Amino acid sequence: MVGSVSKLTGLWKVEDCQSKKGFICKRNVDSQIVVAPTTVLPKAFNIFGNDSYKLVAQKMRWDEARRQCKADDADLASILNPITQAYITLQMSKHNEPVWIGLNSNVTGGRFKWVDNWLLSYTKWGRDEPKNNYGCVYIDVDRTWKTAPCTNNYYSLCKRSPDEVPTEPPQLPGNCPEPKKLITWIPFRGHCYAFLSSKVDNWAHASVECLKMSASLVSIQDPEEGKFIQQNLEILQDEAKSFWIGLYKTHEGEHTEVKFSVKVK
């Protein structure tokens, strides 16, 4: 399964002039047009799209930064697309300081999730990130996301949003194994999943590694399960580009799936 897609947003590409494309216009300013003042919410929140953001230029620990956002009826920011990422990094460029955001694994059950409960559908990880031994995430001055001890002191970004967060599918009763040796099991509809970005030599090796954990390579039964897996692969897209699954071809040429066997307890 492919774990990432090429990031082409903002790149220039030579194309046939007859191709049908969108377009961007540019013109000189008109001195006769009265420019309305920029809308700014109380306490320095700036509107961008449907949301509003506040860059807190005071160094704090991650938990302190979140409490500060909560006091402003906000939360540490989730970044859901490259447009928002570009806007935020533009605001950061005025300060040239690392900034805490709302991505965390310490308070979200051991996997990286947005603390405002939005799905992790877009990432901008730096090289060799994320590091599972650190639970808090910040945007560095190079504009990439990095993990760090939550006790580090950085600037922070708060976000208010009127949009409703989509609900996740209900989980069946039970629990997954506790995190062990940097392996985190994630529950979904009665099964537990481990996403391992460490590269193995071949499919058979990957299958053996799963068996050592009383599991098997994953089978994907329906679109909902496929979507769940895709969302979690987004976390690892800068660390591993593809992942083995349990589909294989027999000597008779038929495709067979290895059934995923770890049930929640």
Side-chain angles (χ1 to χ4, degrees), residues 95-158:
H95 301 274
N96 200 37
E97 290 280 351
V99 173
W100 285 126
I101 56 176
L103 195 58
N104 186 287
S105 65
N106 284 353
V107 298
T108 54
R111 57 169 171 153
F112 285 104
K113 294 178 64 178
W114 295 115
V115 292
D116 63 3
N117 295 319
W118 280 97
L119 297 177
L120 186 62
S121 57
Y122 165 79
T123 60
K124 187 64 175 178
W125 293 112
R127 185 180 179 86
D128 299 325
E129 295 285 354
K131 295 181 175 65
N132 289 329
N133 49 331
Y134 298 135
C136 293
V137 179
Y138 68 98
I139 304 179
D140 207 351
V141 293
D142 65 358
R143 302 185 178 188
T144 64
W145 303 0
K146 297 178 182 177
T147 51
C150 301
T151 52
N152 284 9
N153 290 282
Y154 298 141
Y155 286 9
S156 53
L157 184 72
C158 302

Side-chain angles (χ1 to χ4, degrees), residues 3-5 7 123-124 233-241:
S4 66
V5 295
K7 301 179 180 67
T123 60
K124 187 64 175 178
L233 290 181
E234 289 286 344
I235 301 174
L236 300 167
Q237 67 177 7
D238 296 315
E239 198 167 337
K241 300 301 182 186

